[in-house]
């Protein structure tokens, strides 16, 4: 049986002062993924390993992590010898590779990241959905983008970060939405993004091109 | 009011759906009645006709609901929802299914969560509901486990609406469902005294990936994915089926499994789907061009089998994969179960789709019955007495957890895997008496071993603990499924038996009901309420 050796950064806030690396030797085969290795470790080697697993292919957004410092989805990342697996940086870790995601729903509420309630009769029959909206709506909310953002830190409420800017831009492009999403983005520091462009999405959602840069452009034009 | 979710809210099974939603009336000649008749014919008359009628009537309303949550259906050049952005989905007699572009249900999942954030209710994320609390035949609350820190909590409630989804995970790795679909709602309902119907009706999507292991079970497509000229071949290249795209999901799944059981399967246990005959005709080429840009399933093929396979010039292996449970908790038009204050909506509810769910109807069903159950539960709760918590409400859970921590038997995940293997082998694509009995004896044996299972305790994110509670649910659902499959001595819809290979309208225009738990589970057979429609429908089909 072919095997590879990988390292997982473990952390149990009830016991560990610092995150600690642990090595595992896991079987591999053609087409093996990081997700598969994690499931193998849990089932066969170490029942205490905590990680998230949802749909096993691309859509649910739960299994995001860093492999060799690169934010990605475990289900889409080929397993290779020597890989180092870490939780996404800049985000609160509950245990091992599992992030606390409860702030996502709180953010949606606090920033009112939804279109206003409408009677069915008030809904527009004709909608010309902007291309940007279509692309941004493909966001699976895996949060990997936040680990690519150099300014984001979950403890700093003054800066929104890529994920929030994508959500704001979705609504900015939604013909049904009435709220000034650019003003919200400005309040959340989108102007800090001006010289950066480092935000990336593992699934190719154009976070910079169709979200951050658009909000930034509108925010900057209001400066005077 | 509170919203409870096993995963962080919005990361469940709905968002991984294909995102295709039925919207009847966009093709000339379509009608509520025609859609209703399609549902019954496709469901082979096991549907509860009143529930199917509601879906036919309210599907367009449910599209509006979804847009009011923030979803946007794909529009034509005029900005309108029309037949130009729709396709004929499996089992429908005409075009009435809206297809998203880009493909996928992710924006639907996001819209549902956005709508969830609009209301002022409490939210409990990452909780496993371990038990419903009842007083007599009435709901008074529930017990839940917070998976984050391992604590238990009791919530008093006048009404509970189960929207827990299905049980595809019973067949892992042969499923395209998320890991959360462990059938919790069915088991909670049974434990509370409610009834399940037609649990033998498990829909397998005919075309899914066979290898590599990381992608096994992932959906390629339903029969329409074969295109007008696609065909199925056995390991030696003999043609097993043609004109696949007009068959139901169940028919194709049964063909594949019969050939595989006959030893005609290819290297990874599946049959070979050959799309290449589509190159020979204009409509075939048009289909392939569409498929290469619009169908996510072919991207899975590229990932699993490589870029050469993606071209569709050569056949590749496919095997059915558990996709949807047609059976479920017995409900009425308002999602009410036989337990006062207990409601069910979505995949966990049964009877809507009979023996086979037509493509694209699930995304209507969840909204229609979600709304109905919610409205009625609110009305009911306004008039019901405030429920009381009792000091000993959590004792049972504490006792179970301390047992698991004390014992030294198998780990829960090992028993879960054993159960899944048995379900796929014995209550999978083609069933028979012997397999059914083997399934039940394996369920008994796993249940016995689960009394001795053990694992190390620790407070937060103990996946073993979640697995242990889920195994108990899965055992109940497995038993209900196996018992119903043994009971139905015919082949109908998604339920195929090699010892009763024919549909038997004389004896089996009937629903199978399950009640009770464990070895005292009882089944009952009652004439299908759609039986008279069936006779009329069969007459229409043969005239």
């Amino acid at each position: 049986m072919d095997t590879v050796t990988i390292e997982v950064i473990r952390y149990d806030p009830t016991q560990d002062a610092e995150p600690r690396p642990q090595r595992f030797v896991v079987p591999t085969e053609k087409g093996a993924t990081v997700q598969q290795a994690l499931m193998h470790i849990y089932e066969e080697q170490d029942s205490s390993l905590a990680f998230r697993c949802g749909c096993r292919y691309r859509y649910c957004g739960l299994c995001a992590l860093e492999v060799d410092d690169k934010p990605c989805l475990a289900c889409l990342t080929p397993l290779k010898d020597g890989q180092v697996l870490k939780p996404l940086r800049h985000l609160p870790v509950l245990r091992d590779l599992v992030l606390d995601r409860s702030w996502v729903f709180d953010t949606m509420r606090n920033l009112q990241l939804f279109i206003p309630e409408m009677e069915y009769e008030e809904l527009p029959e004709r909608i010309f959905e902007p291309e940007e909206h279509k692309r941004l709506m493909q966001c699976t909310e895996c949060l990997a983008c936040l680990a690519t953002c150099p300014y984001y830190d979950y403890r700093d409420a003054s800066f929104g970060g890529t994920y929030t800017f994508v959500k704001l831009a979705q609504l900015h492009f939604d013909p049904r939405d009435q709220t000034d999403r650019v003003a919200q983005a400005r309040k959340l520091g989108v102007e800090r993004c001006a010289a950066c462009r480092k935000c990336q999405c593992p699934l190719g959602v154009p976070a910079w091109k169709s979200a951050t840069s658009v909000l930034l452009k509108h925010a900057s034009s209001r400066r005077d | 009011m509170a919203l409870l979710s096993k995963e962080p809210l919005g990361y469940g099974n709905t968002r991984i759906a294909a995102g295709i939603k039925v919207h009847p009336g966009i093709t000339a000649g379509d009608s509520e009645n025609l859609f209703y008749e399609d549902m019954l014919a496709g469901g082979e008359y096991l549907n509860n006709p009143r529930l199917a009628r509601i879906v036919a009537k309210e599907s367009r309303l449910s599209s509006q609901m979804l847009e009011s949550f923030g979803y946007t259906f794909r529009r034509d050049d005029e900005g309108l929802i029309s037949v130009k952005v729709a396709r004929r989905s499996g089992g429908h007699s005409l075009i009435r299914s809206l297809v998203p572009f880009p493909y996928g249900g992710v924006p639907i999942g996001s819209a549902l969560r956005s709508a969830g954030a609009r209301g002022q209710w409490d939210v409990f994320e990452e909780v496993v509901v371990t038990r419903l609390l009842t007083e007599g035949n009435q709901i008074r609350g529930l017990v839940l486990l917070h998976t984050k820190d391992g604590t238990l909590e009791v919530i008093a409630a006048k009404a509970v609406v189960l929207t827990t989804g299905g049980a595809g995970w019973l067949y892992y790795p042969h499923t395209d469902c998320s890991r959360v679909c462990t059938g919790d709602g069915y088991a909670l309902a049974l434990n509370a005294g409610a009834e399940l119907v037609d649990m033998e009706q498990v829909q397998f999507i005919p075309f899914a990936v066979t290898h590599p292991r990381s992608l096994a079970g992932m959906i390629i497509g339903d029969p329409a994915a074969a295109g007008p000229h696609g065909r199925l071949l056995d390991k030696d290249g003999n043609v097993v089926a043609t004109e696949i795209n007009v068959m139901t999901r169940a028919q194709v799944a049964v063909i594949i499994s019969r050939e595989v059981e006959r030893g005609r399967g290819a290297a990874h246990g599946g049959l070979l789907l050959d799309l290449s005959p589509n190159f020979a005709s204009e409509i075939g080429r048009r289909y392939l061009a569409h498929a290469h840009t619009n169908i996510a399933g072919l991207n899975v093929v590229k990932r699993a089998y490589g870029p050469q396979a993606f071209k569709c010039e050569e056949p590749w292996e496919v095997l059915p994969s558990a996709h949807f449970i047609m059976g479920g908790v017995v409900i009425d038009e308002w999602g009410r179960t036989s337990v006062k204050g207990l409601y069910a909506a979505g995949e966990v509810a049964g009877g809507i789709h009979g023996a086979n769910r037509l493509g694209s109807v699930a995304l209507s069903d969840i909204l229609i019955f979600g709304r109905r159950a919610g409205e009625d539960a609110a009305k009911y709760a306004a008039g019901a007495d405030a429920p009381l918590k009792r000091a000993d409400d959590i004792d049972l859970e504490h006792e179970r957890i301390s047992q698991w921590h004390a014992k030294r038997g198998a780990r829960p995940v090992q028993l879960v895997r054993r159960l899944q293997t048995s379900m796929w082998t014995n209550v999978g694509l083609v069933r028979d008496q012997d397999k059914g009995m083997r399934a039940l004896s394996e369920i008994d044996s796993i249940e016995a071993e689960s009394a001795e299972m053990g694992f190390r305790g620790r407070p937060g994110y103990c996946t073993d603990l979640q697995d242990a509670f889920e195994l108990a649910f899965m055992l109940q659902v497995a038993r209900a499924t196996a018992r119903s499959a043994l009971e139905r001595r015919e082949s109908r819809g998604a339920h195929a038996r090699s010892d009763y290979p024919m549909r038997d309208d004389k004896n089996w225009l009937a629903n199978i009901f399950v009640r009770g738990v464990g070895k005292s589970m009882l089944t009952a057979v009652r004439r299908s309420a759609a039986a008279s429609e069936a006779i009329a429908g069969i007459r229409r089909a043969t005239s």
Side-chain angles (χ1 to χ4, degrees):
Chain A
M1 186 175 52
D2 291 337
T3 59
V4 293
T5 304
I6 58 172
E7 203 169 276
V8 182
I9 307 301
R10 309 284 309 264
Y11 177 59
D12 177 354
T14 62
Q15 284 176 15
D16 305 328
E18 289 286 319
R20 59 190 166 86
Q22 188 178 351
R23 254 181 211 182
F24 294 99
V25 179
V26 292
T28 190
E29 62 191 1
K30 192 167 176 267
T33 60
V34 166
Q35 178 89 80
Q36 191 179 346
L38 291 170
M39 289 176 81
H40 174 87
I41 294 169
Y42 168 68
E43 286 176 39
E44 307 289 339
Q45 298 183 17
D46 187 340
S47 64
S48 71
L49 181 70
F51 60 99
R52 289 191 197 272
C53 167
C55 71
R56 297 181 294 139
Y57 178 69
R58 194 181 194 283
Y59 291 103
C60 79
L62 281 175
C63 67
L65 80 173
E66 288 187 20
V67 175
D68 296 338
D69 294 322
K70 193 173 159 21
C72 60
L73 297 177
C75 65
L76 296 182
T77 306
L79 180 65
K80 287 185 188 137
D81 193 49
Q83 280 169 329
V84 179
L85 280 47
K86 286 183 205 158
L88 293 176
R89 68 191 67 189
H90 309 151
L91 289 158
V93 176
L94 279 175
R95 188 188 177 102
D96 299 340
L97 301 173
V98 175
L99 304 174
D100 186 353
R101 287 175 179 252
S102 57
W103 61 271
V104 174
F105 197 73
D106 296 340
T107 302
M108 302 204 63
R109 280 186 152 167
N110 295 340
L111 299 176
Q112 308 216 324
L113 296 176
F114 38 75
I115 64 166
E117 280 197 65
M118 277 183 260
E119 296 298 327
Y120 295 160
E121 304 80 62
E122 296 170 343
L123 289 168
E125 192 188 359
R126 233 174 253 275
I127 294 181
F128 294 93
E129 185 185 11
E131 284 304 315
E132 290 92 339
H133 187 257
K134 282 185 201 168
R135 287 193 212 108
L136 293 175
M137 286 306 288
Q138 299 306 308
C139 167
T140 64
E141 306 173 77
C142 73
L143 310 181
C145 60
L146 290 174
T148 68
C149 171
Y151 298 119
Y152 182 75
D153 185 313
Y154 74 96
R155 287 160 296 202
D156 174 11
S158 73
F159 183 69
T162 319
Y163 166 74
T164 303
F165 295 143
V166 167
K167 298 306 282 182
L168 287 170
Q170 287 176 348
L171 289 155
H172 170 76
F173 283 115
D174 194 315
R176 293 161 296 194
D177 192 53
Q178 308 297 326
T179 309
D180 186 346
R181 302 300 177 177
V182 172
Q184 280 183 300
R186 200 174 176 189
K187 233 188 224 168
L188 290 166
V190 73
E191 283 162 292
R192 283 164 73 180
C193 302
C196 177
R197 302 192 181 199
K198 291 213 170 69
C199 48
Q200 274 180 24
C201 165
L203 293 174
V205 172
W208 165 256
K209 190 166 165 251
S210 301
T212 314
S213 76
V214 172
L215 296 168
L216 178 64
K217 193 180 81 195
H218 287 286
S220 310
S221 70
R222 287 184 197 176
R223 203 170 285 160
D224 24 291
Chain B
M1 195 178 128
L3 217 64
L4 280 59
S5 174
K6 201 153 82 168
E7 293 286 9
L9 206 64
Y11 289 94
N13 207 43
T14 301
R15 64 156 43 196
I16 72 166
I20 304 170
K21 185 186 173 301
V22 72
H23 187 76
I26 45 175
T27 298
D30 196 9
S31 69
E32 198 182 294
N33 227 26
L34 193 57
F35 178 26
Y36 169 76
E37 281 170 12
D38 281 352
M39 281 185 74
L40 260 59
E44 302 200 31
Y45 305 100
L46 293 192
N47 322 57
N48 177 335
R50 285 175 304 163
L51 304 182
R53 178 66 75 184
I54 287 170
V55 170
K57 203 188 276 279
E58 296 184 2
S59 272
R60 287 179 70 99
L61 177 81
S62 71
S63 301
Q64 289 184 304
M65 249 175 107
L66 205 47
E67 289 215 321
S68 81
F69 293 162
Y71 182 65
T72 312
F73 284 101
R74 184 181 170 193
R75 300 297 211 272
D76 64 16
D77 293 342
E78 311 284 302
L80 296 170
I81 293 173
S82 76
V83 72
K84 291 177 198 151
V85 292
R87 75 159 200 222
R88 193 176 133 192
S89 191
H92 295 271
S93 59
L94 38 70
I95 296 175
R96 58 163 82 98
S97 302
L98 304 177
V99 183
F101 185 77
Y103 182 91
V106 167
I108 293 181
S110 303
L112 288 172
R113 175 163 55 185
S114 304
R118 258 185 343 205
Q120 287 311 306
W121 35 75
D122 295 328
V123 169
F124 293 77
E125 295 182 289
E126 307 197 61
V127 295
V128 177
V129 174
T130 58
R131 193 157 46 102
L132 298 174
L133 298 168
T134 51
E135 177 75 59
N137 187 40
Q138 191 170 344
I139 285 290
R140 64 177 179 88
L142 51 83
V143 184
L144 60 81
L145 167 80
H146 290 274
T147 50
K148 269 186 195 176
D149 58 8
T151 55
L152 295 161
E153 186 173 352
V154 174
I155 299 182
K158 297 173 183 177
V160 171
V161 183
L162 297 169
T163 54
T164 48
W169 203 246
L170 265 182
Y171 292 93
Y172 169 82
H174 300 283
T175 181
D176 62 352
C177 296
S178 270
R179 187 237 162 274
V180 283
C181 299
T182 48
D184 306 16
Y186 306 108
L188 290 168
L190 277 180
N191 290 339
E195 223 173 14
L196 307 183
V197 63
D198 296 336
M199 287 302 288
E200 78 284 2
Q201 298 294 348
V202 178
Q203 183 170 78
F204 291 86
I205 280 279
F207 306 137
V209 168
T210 55
H211 63 282
R213 227 179 311 192
S214 57
L215 287 169
M218 290 300 116
I219 179 170
I220 299 170
D222 81 353
H229 309 303
R231 49 188 197 161
L232 278 168
L233 312 175
D234 69 10
K235 63 178 176 186
D236 298 322
N238 301 308
V239 178
V240 170
T242 56
E243 296 180 39
I244 296 160
N245 64 331
V246 295
M247 297 183 193
T248 66
R249 292 171 173 183
Q251 285 165 338
V252 183
V254 165
I255 291 171
I256 295 173
S257 74
R258 285 204 172 127
E259 291 303 316
V260 169
E261 290 214 341
R262 240 175 253 160
R264 308 302 305 157
H268 298 87
L271 282 192
L272 299 162
L273 179 62
D274 181 13
L275 298 190
S276 67
N278 287 302
F279 286 109
S281 83
E282 181 54 36
I283 54 159
R285 283 193 295 272
R286 225 182 298 143
Y287 166 73
L288 284 175
H290 164 82
H292 277 116
T293 48
N294 289 279
I295 296 185
L298 281 185
N299 288 324
V300 183
V301 168
K302 192 194 275 178
R303 193 157 192 103
Y305 303 152
Q308 200 58 32
F310 179 75
K311 291 182 185 164
C312 301
E313 288 162 2
E314 282 166 22
W316 23 259
E317 231 176 308
V318 291
L319 198 59
S321 185
H323 180 68
F324 187 88
I325 313 288
M326 271 77 68
V329 183
V330 176
I331 58 164
D332 71 4
E333 293 95 319
W334 294 97
R336 291 180 284 225
T337 71
S338 58
V339 177
K340 256 176 104 178
L342 180 63
Y343 294 75
E347 190 175 346
V348 70
I352 298 155
H353 307 288
N356 180 47
R357 176 174 65 71
L358 306 187
S360 77
V361 183
L363 291 176
S364 275
D365 160 11
I366 58 171
L367 295 159
I368 292 168
F369 287 100
R371 183 182 70 86
R372 286 177 158 260
E375 272 183 19
D376 200 78
K379 264 187 236 161
Y380 168 81
D385 294 334
L388 293 174
K389 291 188 201 179
R390 293 200 206 115
D392 62 353
D393 275 340
I394 313 187
D395 287 4
L396 184 64
E397 276 71 14
H398 277 310
E399 171 62 24
R400 289 174 79 187
I401 293 172
S402 63
Q403 286 281 324
W404 291 332
H405 289 170
K407 302 254 171 154
R408 287 288 170 267
R411 280 179 61 204
V413 69
Q414 296 167 324
L415 300 180
V416 168
R417 295 289 177 262
R418 246 176 78 189
L419 181 63
Q420 289 161 331
T421 303
S422 168
M423 286 304 282
W424 171 251
T425 311
N426 297 317
V427 203
L429 304 168
V430 176
R431 296 95 185 249
D432 64 32
Q433 180 72 21
D434 292 344
K435 284 181 180 175
M437 296 309 288
R438 273 204 295 276
L440 282 181
S441 92
E442 183 71 349
I443 290 165
D444 286 342
S445 135
I446 295 170
E447 201 161 72
E449 274 196 51
S450 74
E452 298 303 315
M453 75 185 167
F455 47 87
R456 256 181 333 131
R458 62 186 168 80
Y461 256 94
C462 181
T463 313
D464 275 322
L465 183 56
Q466 181 168 341
D467 283 340
F469 279 112
E470 287 173 340
L471 171 65
F473 295 144
M474 290 170 84
L475 281 165
Q476 301 287 4
V477 185
R479 190 183 291 278
T481 308
R483 287 286 301 270
S484 304
L486 270 169
E487 191 72 46
R488 187 173 292 285
R489 290 182 294 281
E490 64 156 355
S491 291
R492 181 182 299 267
H495 172 69
R497 283 190 57 154
S498 54
D499 47 354
Y500 297 95
M502 305 303 285
R503 174 165 137 180
D504 176 2
D505 284 336
K506 191 157 163 273
N507 297 303
W508 285 102
L509 273 174
N511 299 110
I512 295 166
F513 295 86
V514 173
R515 196 184 265 283
V517 296
K519 287 186 179 167
S520 50
M521 191 176 276
L522 294 172
T523 57
V525 180
R526 286 175 227 144
R527 188 175 150 83
S528 163
S532 55
E533 259 108 334
I535 293 153
I538 293 156
R539 208 173 288 145
R540 255 198 316 277
T542 51
S543 68

